[in-house]
Amino acid sequence: MTNRIAIVAGTVVALACAAVEFVHSQSALYASGALVAGALAAAIAWFVTTLPSLTLRGLVTGGFFVLAGMLSWTSLGFGPWLVWPLLAVEGVVFAWWSWPWLRDLRVSYRLGTTWLGVAYWILGTVGALLVAKLGIGVQRLVYAGVFGLAVLAVIAGTRRGRGRDLSVGIVGAFLLAIALLFVSGSGNLFQYRHVVPPSGWGTEVMVHRFWGGSWLLYHPNSLALIAVVAAMRIGVDRVFAVWQRVAVTLLAGGVVYLTNSRTGFVYFAAAAVVHGYLLLRRRGEDLPAYRRVWLAAAVPFAVTALVLVLSEAGGQSFLFKARYDAGDVTSGRTDTWKQVGRDWVNGNVVVKLLGDTGTARAVVIRDDDGHKPGEKPLQLTTDNAAVGALRRGGVLGELAFLLGLGLLLARAWRGSGDRAPAAWLTVTAIGAVPTIATADWLLGGTGGTLWILLVAGEAWLVLRPAPAGATEPEPELTPAP
C-alpha cells in the first residue's frame, strides 16, 4: 500500500512538472525533460523514506540550514526578508530543544566544530561593539545565538537516553532539498542554459550551471556539497543496503556534473581517496564487509572519471575553465583574498584582532568585481575558510579556526581512547581539508550544511555510549537544575 501511494504521488509530481513546462515553453521536448526531472525528484524523496535511523529532529535540523541557504540565494536582489523569519523560527526551535541551555555548555566547547562555527560570531560581536557599531553588533549576536543554540540542540538530541545519531536525518533533509530544487528547476534541468539569480549574479557565465528554478535557487557549489556529503554519510556505512550506497553515490556524481562544481568535484575525489584508504587498511567497524575491496574502493573514482568524461563530451569542461576573467581559474577568488589582506593591513587594532566591522556577515566589497556602472558592488564571500576566519574574527578568529580544525581532524582520524570515529566522519572531515582553499563551508553560517553535519558527527562520537570493556568513561554532563 505504501509503495502504491509513493508511485501515485511520484506520478502526480512528474506530470505536474511536465504540464507547467509545456504551458511555459509550448515545447513537448522540454516538457519531456521536466517529466523526467519530476520523476527523479519523487524518487529521491522516496529514497529518503527508506533510510534507517532517520529521525525527525535530524530532518528538521538539516532542513533549517539547507533551507536558509536556498532562501539566501532565492531572495538575492530583494533583501534578506525571506531569511530572517526562518532564522527566528530556527532560534526558537533550537532554544526549546536545548533547554536548559547551561547544561551542555561544557560539552559544546570541547567540540572542534563549535570553535569553527561559533567563535568568530562572538569575536565579531565584540569587535563591532568596541567601535560603536551597535546595529552590526546586535545582528552578529543574533547569529551567534542561533548557531550556538544549534550546537546545544544537537548535543541535547545526541545525549544518551534522549536521542540518536542525528546525521542520517540531516543528510535526509539535504536529499529532500535536492528533490525540491529538481522540481523547481524541472524545466531547465536538462537544458544547456539554466535559470540564475537576479541582480547580475551569473547572467553571463553561470547560466551553464544548474541552480534550480525561479522560485527556489541554490548556489551550484552548495548544491554539489549537499549531494556529496549525503554520499559520504550513506555510502560508507554498512547500515545501509548496497543499492542505497550505490544510488546515492551516482546521485552525487550526477549533481556535480549538473552544477559544474570544481570544489564539489575536488571534495568528491578527496573523499574517494580517504574512503579507499580506510577500506584497504580495514579501518572502521562500520565499513561494509566487501568481498572485493578493490572494486568497492574503485566505485567513487569511477564516478568522478565519468563526470569528467561526460563534461568533456558535452563541451562543459570545468576543472580549469576561467569563468569570470581570462586566465583566472579561481573565478576571482585571488582578487578577493588580496582585498581581505589589504583591508586587514589598513584596519585598526580592533579589525586586526577581532575581524572586519563593516557588515554583519563581514562580506568583501571589491570595486573590480565586474558589476555594471550604476549598480552596487556585489557582497562577496571569501571562498576560503582560512581567509574567511581572518576576515570574520581577525587574528583571534584565525587561532579559533586552527584550534577547531585541529580538534575535529584529530577526532575524525583516530578518536580518543576506545572511541573510534565512524568511517563516514573520517571521510567527510579529512576529505574537506583540500576544499579549505576554495570554500567557506567549514565555518558554518546561514547555510552551514557541512558544518552542522560535522557537529552531529562529532557530538555523537563524544557522547555515544562507550563500547563494552572500554577504559575511557563517558563524558560527565552537568545535571539539569
Side-chain angles (χ1 to χ4, degrees):
M1 185 65 178
T2 303
N3 289 336
R4 290 181 181 179
I5 294 175
I7 292 173
V8 171
T11 303
V12 170
V13 170
L15 290 175
C17 290
V20 170
E21 178 57 27
F22 184 77
V23 171
H24 172 73
S25 64
Q26 298 296 310
S27 169
L29 180 62
Y30 288 168
S32 299
L35 179 73
V36 176
L40 284 174
I44 293 170
W46 169 81
F47 177 85
V48 172
T49 66
T50 69
L51 298 177
S53 303
L54 195 69
T55 61
L56 178 61
R57 184 170 294 205
L59 279 170
V60 173
T61 301
F64 274 135
F65 278 87
V66 71
L67 183 58
M70 291 191 294
L71 290 182
S72 296
W73 287 102
T74 304
S75 63
L76 191 65
F78 302 101
W81 61 271
L82 282 175
V83 181
W84 279 106
L86 178 65
L87 289 177
V89 175
E90 188 176 332
V92 171
V93 172
F94 288 153
W96 173 36
W97 283 350
S98 59
W99 174 262
W101 307 310
L102 299 181
R103 175 184 53 197
D104 293 324
L105 277 179
R106 195 156 63 93
V107 178
S108 68
Y109 68 69
R110 293 178 55 201
L111 303 182
T113 44
T114 301
W115 292 93
L116 286 174
V118 180
Y120 69 87
W121 288 115
I122 299 174
L123 294 171
T125 300
V126 174
L129 295 178
L130 285 177
V131 296
K133 294 189 176 181
L134 182 60
I136 292 176
V138 170
Q139 290 182 63
R140 289 179 174 178
L141 184 61
V142 171
Y143 280 124
V146 170
F147 300 129
L149 288 171
V151 173
L152 295 177
V154 169
I155 293 173
T158 306
R159 286 190 311 117
R160 184 177 59 183
R162 288 197 58 187
R164 294 179 291 177
D165 180 4
L166 302 183
S167 60
V168 177
I170 290 173
V171 297
F174 296 170
L175 292 171
L176 291 177
I178 295 173
L180 282 175
L181 289 165
F182 277 14
V183 171
S184 173
S186 58
N188 71 95
L189 180 64
F190 298 110
Q191 295 183 24
Y192 184 68
R193 296 179 66 86
H194 299 288
V195 175
V196 297
S199 187
W201 255 100
T203 52
E204 300 297 332
V205 296
M206 300 288 274
V207 293
H208 304 306
R209 308 177 69 187
F210 179 70
W211 290 73
S214 57
W215 58 270
L216 192 64
L217 294 159
Y218 204 23
H219 193 283
N221 285 345
S222 300
L223 175 53
L225 166 69
I226 59 176
V228 169
V229 296
M232 295 179 195
R233 177 62 190 92
I234 296 171
V236 300
D237 194 332
R238 68 193 310 166
V239 168
F240 303 96
V242 174
W243 72 269
Q244 291 175 316
R245 300 197 294 267
V246 173
V248 77
T249 303
L250 292 175
L251 175 65
V255 173
V256 170
Y257 169 75
L258 289 169
T259 57
N260 275 200
S261 174
R262 286 181 288 219
T263 305
F265 181 86
V266 169
Y267 197 0
F268 201 151
V273 172
V274 180
H275 173 248
Y277 174 84
L278 295 181
L279 280 177
L280 297 177
R281 293 297 299 268
R282 307 285 183 176
R283 280 191 55 179
E285 296 181 357
D286 55 333
L287 280 172
Y290 295 110
R291 292 182 178 180
R292 298 177 178 86
V293 176
W294 280 98
L295 179 60
V299 169
F301 291 103
V303 173
T304 56
L306 182 61
V307 171
L308 285 179
V309 171
L310 292 176
S311 298
E312 291 291 343
Q316 297 189 43
S317 178
F318 62 95
L319 282 185
F320 303 104
K321 181 179 180 180
R323 292 191 174 118
Y324 291 98
D325 188 13
D328 182 11
V329 297
T330 68
S331 300
R333 286 179 173 87
T334 51
D335 290 333
T336 299
W337 303 337
K338 292 175 183 177
Q339 185 64 50
V340 171
R342 287 192 292 267
D343 291 344
W344 185 83
V345 170
N346 298 328
N348 54 31
V349 176
V350 172
V351 170
K352 286 182 169 61
L353 288 179
L354 298 170
D356 176 73
T357 58
T359 60
R361 295 183 294 111
V363 296
V364 183
I365 305 296
R366 282 178 25 219
D367 293 332
D368 59 345
D369 62 3
H371 66 279
K372 298 178 182 179
E375 293 182 345
K376 293 182 179 180
L378 298 175
Q379 296 184 346
L380 303 172
T381 56
T382 53
D383 287 329
N384 182 303
V387 175
L390 180 67
R391 177 71 173 182
R392 294 167 172 85
V395 173
L396 296 181
E398 195 70 33
L399 293 176
F401 169 75
L402 294 175
L403 173 62
L405 183 64
L407 287 173
L408 174 64
L409 295 182
R411 284 203 177 101
W413 184 245
R414 292 190 178 276
S416 58
D418 294 299
R419 293 182 178 277
W424 77 264
L425 180 61
T426 303
V427 172
T428 306
I430 304 298
V433 171
T435 68
I436 290 175
T438 55
D440 286 334
W441 49 41
L442 273 175
L443 297 177
T446 305
T449 48
L450 173 61
W451 174 73
I452 196 62
L453 178 63
L454 291 173
V455 170
E458 192 180 11
W460 177 250
L461 176 60
V462 171
L463 297 171
R464 70 184 181 188
T471 57
E472 180 190 9
E474 184 177 356
E476 183 179 331
L477 302 177
T478 305

